PDB file of all heavy atoms in Angstrom:
ATOM      1  N   THR Z  57      97.884 110.337 121.103  1.00 93.00           N
ATOM      2  CA  THR Z  57      98.240 108.910 121.198  1.00 93.00           C
ATOM      3  C   THR Z  57      97.991 108.296 119.830  1.00 93.00           C
ATOM      4  O   THR Z  57      96.847 108.333 119.336  1.00 93.00           O
ATOM      5  CB  THR Z  57      97.389 108.212 122.280  1.00 93.00           C
ATOM      6  OG1 THR Z  57      97.548 108.888 123.525  1.00 93.00           O
ATOM      7  CG2 THR Z  57      97.828 106.756 122.372  1.00 93.00           C
ATOM      8  N   TYR Z  58      98.993 107.703 119.245  1.00 95.00           N
ATOM      9  CA  TYR Z  58      98.883 107.199 117.888  1.00 95.00           C
ATOM     10  C   TYR Z  58      98.707 105.674 117.933  1.00 95.00           C
ATOM     11  O   TYR Z  58      99.292 105.011 118.781  1.00 95.00           O
ATOM     12  CB  TYR Z  58     100.127 107.552 117.078  1.00 95.00           C
ATOM     13  CG  TYR Z  58     100.222 109.003 116.736  1.00 95.00           C
ATOM     14  CD1 TYR Z  58     100.737 109.930 117.662  1.00 95.00           C
ATOM     15  CD2 TYR Z  58      99.769 109.500 115.519  1.00 95.00           C
ATOM     16  CE1 TYR Z  58     100.774 111.260 117.373  1.00 95.00           C
ATOM     17  CE2 TYR Z  58      99.853 110.804 115.196  1.00 95.00           C
ATOM     18  CZ  TYR Z  58     100.349 111.747 116.137  1.00 95.00           C
ATOM     19  OH  TYR Z  58     100.392 113.060 115.828  1.00 95.00           O
ATOM     20  N   GLU Z  59      97.909 105.165 116.977  1.00 93.00           N
ATOM     21  CA  GLU Z  59      97.764 103.723 116.869  1.00 93.00           C
ATOM     22  C   GLU Z  59      99.017 103.126 116.243  1.00 93.00           C
ATOM     23  O   GLU Z  59      99.755 103.782 115.517  1.00 93.00           O
ATOM     24  CB  GLU Z  59      96.512 103.428 116.077  1.00 93.00           C
ATOM     25  CG  GLU Z  59      95.230 103.833 116.711  1.00 93.00           C
ATOM     26  CD  GLU Z  59      95.032 103.200 118.080  1.00 93.00           C
ATOM     27  OE1 GLU Z  59      94.994 101.955 118.191  1.00 93.00           O
ATOM     28  OE2 GLU Z  59      94.978 103.958 119.094  1.00 93.00           O
ATOM     29  N   GLN Z  60      99.168 101.826 116.446  1.00 93.00           N
ATOM     30  CA  GLN Z  60     100.334 101.156 115.898  1.00 93.00           C
ATOM     31  C   GLN Z  60     100.288 101.235 114.397  1.00 93.00           C
ATOM     32  O   GLN Z  60      99.265 101.035 113.715  1.00 93.00           O
ATOM     33  CB  GLN Z  60     100.249  99.690 116.325  1.00 93.00           C
ATOM     34  CG  GLN Z  60     101.523  98.871 115.977  1.00 93.00           C
ATOM     35  CD  GLN Z  60     101.469  97.473 116.550  1.00 93.00           C
ATOM     36  OE1 GLN Z  60     100.428  97.026 117.135  1.00 93.00           O
ATOM     37  NE2 GLN Z  60     102.579  96.764 116.435  1.00 93.00           N
ATOM     38  N   GLY Z  61     101.456 101.573 113.813  1.00 93.00           N
ATOM     39  CA  GLY Z  61     101.551 101.666 112.370  1.00 93.00           C
ATOM     40  C   GLY Z  61     101.250 103.065 111.775  1.00 93.00           C
ATOM     41  O   GLY Z  61     101.466 103.262 110.589  1.00 93.00           O
ATOM     42  N   VAL Z  62     100.833 103.967 112.637  1.00 95.00           N
ATOM     43  CA  VAL Z  62     100.549 105.351 112.171  1.00 95.00           C
ATOM     44  C   VAL Z  62     101.767 106.207 112.566  1.00 95.00           C
ATOM     45  O   VAL Z  62     102.153 106.300 113.740  1.00 95.00           O
ATOM     46  CB  VAL Z  62      99.275 105.916 112.820  1.00 95.00           C
ATOM     47  CG1 VAL Z  62      99.055 107.353 112.399  1.00 95.00           C
ATOM     48  CG2 VAL Z  62      98.096 105.043 112.515  1.00 95.00           C
ATOM     49  N   GLU Z  63     102.362 106.871 111.577  1.00 94.00           N
ATOM     50  CA  GLU Z  63     103.541 107.668 111.787  1.00 94.00           C
ATOM     51  C   GLU Z  63     103.184 108.998 112.412  1.00 94.00           C
ATOM     52  O   GLU Z  63     102.549 109.833 111.784  1.00 94.00           O
ATOM     53  CB  GLU Z  63     104.284 107.881 110.467  1.00 94.00           C
ATOM     54  CG  GLU Z  63     104.690 106.600 109.718  1.00 94.00           C
ATOM     55  CD  GLU Z  63     105.270 106.937 108.382  1.00 94.00           C
ATOM     56  OE1 GLU Z  63     106.263 107.733 108.324  1.00 94.00           O
ATOM     57  OE2 GLU Z  63     104.748 106.437 107.340  1.00 94.00           O
ATOM     58  N   LYS Z  64     103.697 109.218 113.611  1.00 93.00           N
ATOM     59  CA  LYS Z  64     103.322 110.463 114.336  1.00 93.00           C
ATOM     60  C   LYS Z  64     104.016 111.658 113.680  1.00 93.00           C
ATOM     61  O   LYS Z  64     103.511 112.763 113.791  1.00 93.00           O
ATOM     62  CB  LYS Z  64     103.705 110.375 115.755  1.00 93.00           C
ATOM     63  CG  LYS Z  64     105.163 110.130 116.072  1.00 93.00           C
ATOM     64  CD  LYS Z  64     105.446 110.097 117.562  1.00 93.00           C
ATOM     65  CE  LYS Z  64     106.919 109.853 117.830  1.00 93.00           C
ATOM     66  NZ  LYS Z  64     107.176 109.772 119.300  1.00 93.00           N
ATOM     67  N   ASP Z  65     105.142 111.463 113.053  1.00 95.00           N
ATOM     68  CA  ASP Z  65     105.835 112.586 112.407  1.00 95.00           C
ATOM     69  C   ASP Z  65     105.189 112.938 111.036  1.00 95.00           C
ATOM     70  O   ASP Z  65     105.423 114.045 110.501  1.00 95.00           O
ATOM     71  CB  ASP Z  65     107.315 112.273 112.200  1.00 95.00           C
ATOM     72  CG  ASP Z  65     108.000 112.107 113.471  1.00 95.00           C
ATOM     73  OD1 ASP Z  65     107.615 112.780 114.487  1.00 95.00           O
ATOM     74  OD2 ASP Z  65     108.955 111.344 113.562  1.00 95.00           O
ATOM     75  N   LYS Z  66     104.398 112.054 110.504  1.00 96.00           N
ATOM     76  CA  LYS Z  66     103.753 112.342 109.264  1.00 96.00           C
ATOM     77  C   LYS Z  66     102.382 112.901 109.484  1.00 96.00           C
ATOM     78  O   LYS Z  66     101.874 113.811 108.755  1.00 96.00           O
ATOM     79  CB  LYS Z  66     103.612 111.094 108.448  1.00 96.00           C
ATOM     80  CG  LYS Z  66     102.925 111.269 107.125  1.00 96.00           C
ATOM     81  CD  LYS Z  66     103.007 110.043 106.268  1.00 96.00           C
ATOM     82  CE  LYS Z  66     102.351 110.269 104.922  1.00 96.00           C
ATOM     83  NZ  LYS Z  66     103.056 111.302 104.135  1.00 96.00           N
ATOM     84  N   PHE Z  67     101.668 112.407 110.512  1.00 97.00           N
ATOM     85  CA  PHE Z  67     100.318 112.881 110.829  1.00 97.00           C
ATOM     86  C   PHE Z  67     100.342 113.640 112.138  1.00 97.00           C
ATOM     87  O   PHE Z  67     100.251 113.074 113.211  1.00 97.00           O
ATOM     88  CB  PHE Z  67      99.345 111.681 110.919  1.00 97.00           C
ATOM     89  CG  PHE Z  67      99.255 110.911 109.643  1.00 97.00           C
ATOM     90  CD1 PHE Z  67      99.975 109.740 109.456  1.00 97.00           C
ATOM     91  CD2 PHE Z  67      98.412 111.350 108.609  1.00 97.00           C
ATOM     92  CE1 PHE Z  67      99.863 109.005 108.289  1.00 97.00           C
ATOM     93  CE2 PHE Z  67      98.308 110.634 107.442  1.00 97.00           C
ATOM     94  CZ  PHE Z  67      99.014 109.440 107.256  1.00 97.00           C
ATOM     95  N   LEU Z  68     100.539 114.957 112.000  1.00 96.00           N
ATOM     96  CA  LEU Z  68     100.699 115.792 113.173  1.00 96.00           C
ATOM     97  C   LEU Z  68      99.397 116.219 113.697  1.00 96.00           C
ATOM     98  O   LEU Z  68      98.539 116.739 113.005  1.00 96.00           O
ATOM     99  CB  LEU Z  68     101.519 117.031 112.789  1.00 96.00           C
ATOM    100  CG  LEU Z  68     102.938 116.779 112.220  1.00 96.00           C
ATOM    101  CD1 LEU Z  68     103.645 118.108 111.922  1.00 96.00           C
ATOM    102  CD2 LEU Z  68     103.795 115.940 113.176  1.00 96.00           C
ATOM    103  N   ILE Z  69      99.201 116.011 114.994  1.00 95.00           N
ATOM    104  CA  ILE Z  69      97.896 116.330 115.657  1.00 95.00           C
ATOM    105  C   ILE Z  69      98.135 117.364 116.704  1.00 95.00           C
ATOM    106  O   ILE Z  69      99.063 117.225 117.524  1.00 95.00           O
ATOM    107  CB  ILE Z  69      97.234 115.137 116.197  1.00 95.00           C
ATOM    108  CG1 ILE Z  69      96.761 114.181 115.077  1.00 95.00           C
ATOM    109  CG2 ILE Z  69      96.104 115.466 117.142  1.00 95.00           C
ATOM    110  CD1 ILE Z  69      96.247 112.861 115.565  1.00 95.00           C
ATOM    111  N   ASN Z  70      97.319 118.425 116.635  1.00 92.00           N
ATOM    112  CA  ASN Z  70      97.375 119.450 117.698  1.00 92.00           C
ATOM    113  C   ASN Z  70      95.975 119.668 118.236  1.00 92.00           C
ATOM    114  O   ASN Z  70      94.979 119.789 117.517  1.00 92.00           O
ATOM    115  CB  ASN Z  70      97.845 120.802 117.051  1.00 92.00           C
ATOM    116  CG  ASN Z  70      97.985 121.864 118.062  1.00 92.00           C
ATOM    117  OD1 ASN Z  70      97.064 122.516 118.463  1.00 92.00           O
ATOM    118  ND2 ASN Z  70      99.272 122.055 118.550  1.00 92.00           N
TER     119      ASN Z  70
END
Side-chain angles (χ1 to χ4, degrees):
Chain Z
T57 304
Y58 290 83
E59 294 302 300
Q60 188 174 7
V62 178
E63 301 174 57
K64 62 180 181 180
D65 294 330
K66 180 173 182 62
F67 298 99
L68 301 179
I69 291 174
N70 184 279

